[in-house]
Structure formats: structure tokens, C-alpha cells
Amino acid sequence: MDQKVKTERKESEQKKGMEAMVACYQGFDPAAYLQYNYTPPRADFDRPDSIVPWKLGCLHRAFTEGDVGGGVLVDVGSGPTIYQVLSGCEVFDKLFLTDFLEVNRQELRRWLGGEGCSSLDWTPYLKHVCKLEGRRPSAWSEKAARLRSVVSDVLSIDVHRPNPLPLDAQLPAAGADCLVSSFCLESVSPDLASFDRALGHIGSLLRPGGHLLLIGALGESYYMGGPGVRIPVVPLDEAQVCASLKASGYTLVRLEVYTLPQDMRVGVDDVTGVFFVKARKP
Ligand SMILES: Nc1ncnc2c1ncn2[C@@H]1O[C@@H](CSCCNC[C@@H]2Cc3ccc([N+](=O)[O-])cc3CN2)[C@@H](O)[C@H]1O
């Protein structure tokens, strides 16, 4: 088989993989997803070993240790959640939330509009991050107001495109100062090659010297995006995450890993661990 035919066959297989992934996401249910992953036991602020307090602690440290800040922060694949930017909103003046699905963008806009009809009450999250910042928990409403004030837009995004954002997105020509992305790339990529390409695509949004804060699942092969909505995930391990970041040209600043206790494995996925990466684009 000559090279041209091989390339065409490979491109056709990649296209089919992406189309299958898009079809999986048509059943994504933001409210169910939030219930599965962002309520106890995974989000139990009275349990030091709960996943969400661990993630919020990683993000708080990463955003407050002095090397991250400035103009523009982009959250890649926000989903229906805002926890991932509760620390970042204090050190950036311009923040973009993004997601592939309109149902998730609508969920984010509802919270931003303060209409009080979000699918999840984010108050405990706001209070917890205020506590991490040494503020009184009653400052949570000030933090909510701060976040609402710095979000510039809720954009569509497709990490499988070389230019993942809409052409009219108002990013600086040099790129964003920081990217944060949580549980997205591995959950939308049919295979490792696709994951690596997507990592490269989002890297094009980041200026040289900027930081990437990446949270993701380890050992996950599927998750439930809603009742009966099983979405495939490309399983990752620590070594692969490090290799993919290196191949994408990043300098690893820190990798932290959380191993799920048995009672955090609640049947909505087969995730075994969570990684937190802080990396810098040279
Ligand atoms: N082409 C695309 N480009 C960008 N975003 C896209 C694209 N396609 C779909 N999306 C968008 O990406 C998605 C992001 S949510 C992905 C969920 N990830 C898996 C889930 C999360 C989770 C949470 C918490 C814990 N835990 O242990 O506490 C474990 C786990 C592991 N399971 C979704 O918003 C979709 O709308």
C-alpha cells in the first residue's frame, strides 16, 4: 500500500473517531454530570481526603505562588463547572470560559447571570476557596462577584481543531497568559495520538512563558455523562502525561497525583486517580 493511501486511511479513521466522540456527547446531561462528580463523597468539604478539596488546593497553590498572573486566563473545556477558576479569577482580569456543548455554555451563563437557577449550588466551593485564601467564608459573595466581573465571554471550543477557538475570540495576538483545563482532553480524545494533537492545539492558545494548569483522570476508560450516556476516555498514566507534555514542548513545574479511596469510586466512571500538572511553555 503506497504512502498516500496509508495517509488517507489514517485520516479517515481519525475522522470517524472524532465523529463517534461527537455523537457520544449529544447525550451529555450537565445536571446529572454535576450530581455524579460535584456532590459528596467526591465533593465533601468536611473530608480532607475528598477529591474536590484536593483539586481546589492544587489550583490555589498554583495560582498564588507568584509566577502566574497577568492579563488573560482561558479555561479549556469548562463543562458546566466553575470550580476550576475560583482561584484564578483573583489574579487575572480577563477570563474566558469555553465548552464544546451549548448545554454547558448555557449552564455557565445561567450562573454568571446570577439567575439562581444553576444545576449546582457553588456556594460551598466559593466558601472553601475563600478559606484557602485566609478570608472569612462570608466573603464568598465577593468572590462570586469577582468571578462574574472578570469573565469576558463563554466561547465555543473544539480542541481537535488546530485553532480551537472561534476566529473572533478576543485573545491577545501573543496568546493567553495561562490555560486551565480540567478532565477535558482525555475525555474527548479517542486515542493517545488524538490526545497529543489536542494538547498541541490548545498550546497554540498560550503565549511563550505562559502556564498550563492541567487536571485529568488517570486510568479512566469511560465515564457516565448522564443516565445511560457512556463516554469513552483514553486511559492515561503519570508517565504518559509527562511524555505528552514533553512532546508538546512544556517544561514541567509540578505533577501531583491523587489516588481515589474506594468509597470515591461511585460507579460513574472507572477512574483510579487524578493528576494535577503545572507546566510552563518556554
Ligand atoms: N472537541 C471538544 N473540544 C473541547 N471540549 C469538548 C470537546 N468535546 C467535548 N468537550 C467537552 O469536554 C467535556 C468536559 S467534562 C469531561 C468529563 N471528564 C470525565 C469525568 C470527570 C471527572 C470529574 C471528577 C472526578 N473525580 O474523581 O472527582 C473524576 C472525573 C472523571 N470523569 C464536556 O464539557 C464536553 O462538552
Side-chain angles (χ1 to χ4, degrees):
M1 186 187 312
D2 70 20
Q3 191 53 47
K4 184 173 179 296
V5 171
K6 277 184 184 174
T7 305
E8 286 170 353
R9 176 166 293 185
K10 190 175 172 185
E11 286 168 354
S12 169
E13 284 164 5
Q14 284 173 8
K15 188 169 179 289
K16 283 179 187 159
M18 298 305 160
E19 288 167 350
M21 189 58 78
V22 171
C24 285
Y25 272 100
Q26 297 321 298
F28 189 87
D29 176 342
Y33 172 74
L34 290 167
Q35 188 62 31
Y36 297 159
N37 293 292
Y38 294 98
T39 59
R42 291 185 166 188
D44 183 341
F45 296 98
D46 297 325
R47 269 187 66 168
D49 68 338
S50 183
I51 304 167
V52 165
W54 179 83
K55 291 192 282 187
L56 293 174
C58 291
L59 288 161
H60 168 71
R61 276 189 298 282
F63 277 117
T64 59
E65 55 195 346
D67 56 348
V68 174
V72 177
L73 169 65
V74 176
D75 178 23
V76 175
S78 307
T81 65
I82 61 164
Y83 72 90
Q84 62 277 12
V85 291
L86 295 181
S87 293
C89 75
E90 302 292 346
V91 291
F92 285 93
D93 298 325
K94 200 174 174 79
L95 202 160
F96 292 92
L97 300 176
T98 71
D99 199 72
F100 182 76
L101 294 177
E102 178 59 17
V103 286
N104 285 331
R105 298 194 296 267
Q106 283 171 352
E107 181 69 32
L108 294 169
R109 291 190 192 107
R110 275 199 295 273
W111 185 85
L112 289 167
E115 298 153 18
C117 55
S118 306
S119 299
L120 188 79
D121 176 11
W122 293 101
T123 308
Y125 290 71
L126 290 152
K127 286 181 176 176
H128 185 80
V129 178
C130 283
K131 194 172 158 189
L132 294 175
E133 293 170 351
R135 299 161 69 178
R136 64 197 191 290
S138 60
W140 70 269
S141 54
E142 293 162 28
K143 178 174 281 294
R146 168 71 187 178
L147 177 53
R148 289 183 171 116
S149 73
V150 299
V151 173
S152 294
D153 206 346
V154 181
L155 299 171
S156 64
I157 192 167
D158 183 348
V159 297
H160 298 312
R161 293 175 180 274
N163 301 304
L165 292 176
L167 291 177
D168 60 354
Q170 304 290 314
L171 253 62
D177 299 288
C178 184
L179 302 181
V180 59
S181 187
S182 183
F183 294 112
C184 179
L185 300 188
E186 72 277 7
S187 304
V188 305
S189 300
D191 51 42
L192 211 40
S194 168
F195 173 86
D196 285 345
R197 284 194 301 274
L199 186 61
H201 295 160
I202 69 169
S204 71
L205 303 174
L206 186 62
R207 69 165 173 79
H211 284 86
L212 168 67
L213 307 181
L214 192 64
I215 296 178
L218 294 171
E220 184 176 43
S221 69
Y222 81 93
Y223 80 98
M224 302 307 291
V229 181
R230 184 185 175 101
I231 298 177
V233 179
V234 58
L236 300 175
D237 59 25
E238 289 173 59
Q240 185 55 61
V241 171
C242 293
S244 295
L245 288 164
K246 186 175 181 182
S248 224
Y250 286 100
T251 303
L252 183 65
V253 174
R254 181 163 64 246
L255 167 66
E256 301 183 70
V257 173
Y258 170 98
T259 301
L260 266 74
Q262 206 49 46
D263 69 343
M264 295 281 166
R265 304 183 192 201
V266 296
V268 296
D269 52 44
D270 60 352
V271 64
T272 59
V274 180
F275 67 84
F276 177 87
V277 155
K278 181 173 188 176
R280 187 172 177 275
K281 179 177 180 178

